[in-house]
Amino acid sequence: MTGRRRLGGRWVRRRPLRTRLALAASAAVAVVAVGVCAAAFVVLSVQMTRQLDLNLAQTATQVTQRTRHWGPTVSDTSCRYQAVPCVQIVPADPSHDPRERYGLPVSPATRAVAAGRGTPYYTDLTVAGHPVRMYTTRLAHRDEALQVALRSDTVERGVRQAAWALAAVGAAGVLLAAGLGYWVSRTGLAPVARLTATAERIAATRDPRHRIELPAGPGTREDEITRLAASFNTMLGELEQSVTAQRRLVADASHELRTPLTALRTNAELLARADRLTERQRERASGALTRQLREVTTLVNDLIELARDEEPRPLLEEVRPAALLEHAVAAAREHWPEIAFTVRVDPAAAGTTLPGVPARLNRLLSNLLDNAAKFSPPGGPVETELTAGPGELLLSVRDHGPGIAPDDLPHVFDRFYRARAARALPGSGLGLAMARQIAHAHGAELTAARAPGGGALFRLRLPAGPDARPSGEGQNPAGSV
């Protein structure tokens, strides 16, 4: 039996979801239909039997009122007629029995009721080939029992007919349950079928642009399946954006790497014939090769950094943005000695700390400072400022160069994007894209704008919520550094 159950369970689990849902819904409705029919049969049978018992009790009361001094009497009709009751009186003492044979059976229980030692009772029996139901009770103040019997074949026939009718209704209910189960599974799982078809189509074509059609209209209700389909469409949109960004990154990276790799190969082949070159030519080729290797290394490192979506949790620590800014400006002064860097730190922001990765935040500031220095004229100033606002720190970097053209402004943070004015300058176009990614990873917002009076202005808004706290150490007064 256990093995059969396991085989049946495996068979059900191997069926499609639509089949299992149809079977479950059909079984539930069928069980309810069969249960209702069975309950109706039991209630009908009990009520019809109870009505027959009431008729017997009423007949016994009427006979008791008419037969006060009859004495022992045998049944006179032997229950030959359906509507006529059979009546007989049985004494407690068998010696007082009449000479005629009793028409209804007399048992010790009947004598006990007559003697007052037993309680009235009902009995189902057969008399002269007819089914009857008999009621036995004691005649008041007399040691005699009154037996009243009525034919019960009409009740049995009615119960039997009701059983057949309810069986037909139950069978129709089971068939209706099967149809409803199939309809429920087909209608309820239609969005799931569309979702499955879309997923299979995406897996076959590798094209995430497909979407599931959602019901639209003023009277449309949003149920769980519709929300699932909407979430799936949202996931497909994110996947499409990710795939598009990945393809664009690969295409841009291959384009950017092609030129330096070609130059590297050319210089390597040139140095391979060093015996044919002069000393100055060898030095120039060696210097170009070293410079190009450095550029390729920087480009590859930038690509690796851009491939990181979030900051590693183990590297998070409490950092002080004011100290990071001063350190980044000091490093920029060494790298760009011809540029005048100035720093202004608000006293309210000097000692504020917030969670972050110091190396990554330092890289963000270095990229902003290098970008500002690249576009500043020789001797031109690059102004940096750190101020405190309600729940945030605002860091700004401004240069006095040509500024950002209106057409270039929406694309300054795109990977490998280089404005016309920057194409002649060194760089790969990844610095600002990396800066924005680091800002997003720290929950910050980095924006670019045209500065009043000329130049570019970059603003970095750092959240300083419940986790940020003033340390009171190393506070510097406001002013230029």
Side-chain angles (χ1 to χ4, degrees):
M1 182 65 70
T2 303
R4 291 181 179 177
R5 290 178 180 175
R6 290 178 180 176
L7 290 176
R10 291 178 184 175
W11 183 87
V12 171
R13 287 193 297 269
R14 291 176 180 175
R15 298 300 95 191
L17 179 60
R18 178 179 297 179
T19 302
R20 284 183 285 166
L21 181 60
L23 290 175
S26 302
V29 178
V31 168
V32 172
V34 172
V36 169
C37 291
F41 173 76
V42 171
V43 170
L44 182 61
S45 176
V46 170
Q47 289 297 327
M48 293 182 71
T49 304
R50 183 180 179 184
Q51 185 62 39
L52 182 60
D53 293 344
L54 290 176
N55 292 338
L56 288 172
Q58 292 176 359
T59 302
T61 301
Q62 295 173 0
V63 171
T64 300
Q65 294 175 355
R66 296 197 310 265
T67 59
R68 294 175 180 257
H69 305 289
W70 281 13
T73 306
V74 299
S75 177
D76 51 353
T77 61
S78 298
C79 298
R80 290 193 300 269
Y81 306 104
Q82 293 183 357
V84 180
C86 305
V87 179
Q88 71 179 19
I89 299 175
V90 179
D93 188 358
S95 61
H96 296 164
D97 289 343
R99 297 180 179 179
E100 294 86 355
R101 184 179 179 181
Y102 286 114
L104 299 175
V106 177
S107 63
T110 306
R111 305 289 184 179
V113 171
R117 297 190 304 270
T119 57
Y121 63 91
Y122 294 91
T123 309
D124 291 318
L125 45 90
T126 301
V127 176
H130 303 293
V132 298
R133 185 167 179 81
M134 182 178 67
Y135 174 60
T136 302
T137 184
R138 184 171 183 267
L139 291 174
H141 307 294
R142 297 164 60 180
D143 292 337
E144 293 175 341
L146 174 64
Q147 291 181 311
V148 180
L150 280 172
R151 291 267 296 272
S152 61
D153 47 359
T154 54
V155 174
E156 293 181 358
R157 189 182 307 110
V159 171
R160 189 162 50 249
Q161 291 175 352
W164 282 107
L166 291 174
V169 172
V174 170
L175 294 177
L176 180 62
L180 289 176
Y182 175 77
W183 178 80
V184 168
S185 64
R186 187 177 181 85
T187 304
L189 294 180
V192 178
R194 293 196 297 268
L195 188 149
T196 303
T198 303
E200 291 175 349
R201 188 162 54 251
I202 293 174
T205 62
R206 295 183 176 273
D207 186 2
R209 291 177 297 178
H210 298 286
R211 296 292 185 272
I212 300 175
E213 295 183 3
L214 298 177
T220 303
R221 294 184 178 181
E222 185 177 357
D223 53 11
E224 291 78 4
I225 300 297
T226 305
R227 290 200 300 269
L228 174 62
S231 301
F232 190 76
N233 283 343
T234 303
M235 181 188 67
L236 289 177
E238 297 293 336
L239 178 61
E240 181 182 1
Q241 293 181 3
S242 176
V243 171
T244 303
Q246 181 183 12
R247 291 174 179 172
R248 185 171 61 249
L249 175 62
V250 172
D252 293 342
S254 62
H255 175 75
E256 293 293 330
L257 285 171
R258 187 177 294 113
T259 301
L261 288 178
T262 302
L264 279 175
R265 185 174 61 184
T266 302
N267 289 320
E269 292 175 352
L270 187 62
L271 288 175
R273 298 190 296 269
D275 53 341
R276 303 179 185 179
L277 304 177
T278 63
E279 185 66 25
R280 186 174 181 180
Q281 289 175 337
R282 284 195 299 269
E283 290 179 358
R284 289 178 59 187
S286 178
L289 183 62
T290 302
R291 185 175 61 257
Q292 290 157 1
L293 281 174
R294 189 184 306 113
E295 291 178 0
V296 171
T297 302
T298 302
L299 178 59
V300 171
N301 289 335
D302 289 346
L303 289 174
I304 294 175
E305 293 291 336
L306 284 173
R308 181 187 302 169
D309 292 333
E310 58 183 11
E311 303 301 335
R313 288 287 180 182
L315 300 182
L316 288 177
E317 58 181 270
E318 293 295 324
V319 297
R320 199 163 58 229
L324 283 178
L325 178 61
E326 293 174 355
H327 180 270
V329 170
R333 286 189 180 127
E334 295 181 1
H335 190 260
W336 303 89
E338 71 279 4
I339 302 298
F341 291 92
T342 61
V343 180
R344 183 180 181 278
V345 179
D346 186 359
T352 303
T353 63
L354 49 84
V357 181
R360 300 282 289 164
L361 291 174
N362 185 69
R363 182 63 181 275
L364 184 156
L365 297 177
S366 300
N367 287 357
L368 292 179
L369 294 173
D370 288 343
N371 181 78
K374 187 188 304 182
F375 290 96
S376 295
V382 172
E383 304 167 1
T384 61
E385 183 180 10
L386 180 65
T387 58
E392 65 177 8
L393 295 178
L394 178 61
L395 187 148
S396 61
V397 177
R398 177 187 175 175
D399 63 61
H400 291 266
I404 306 174
D407 294 339
D408 297 329
L409 192 58
H411 307 287
V412 293
F413 294 107
D414 292 349
R415 298 171 181 175
F416 298 105
Y417 182 81
R418 304 185 70 183
R420 290 184 178 181
R423 291 175 184 175
L425 299 176
S428 61
L430 295 177
L432 293 180
M434 187 183 305
R436 169 167 278 190
Q437 178 171 302
I438 296 173
H440 284 175
H442 286 80
E445 180 184 5
L446 179 61
T447 58
R450 294 173 59 88
L457 176 61
F458 290 87
R459 291 189 179 93
L460 177 66
R461 298 183 182 275
L462 293 164
D467 293 335
R469 61 180 184 274
S471 63
E473 299 178 359
Q475 295 185 4
N476 296 327
S480 299
V481 178

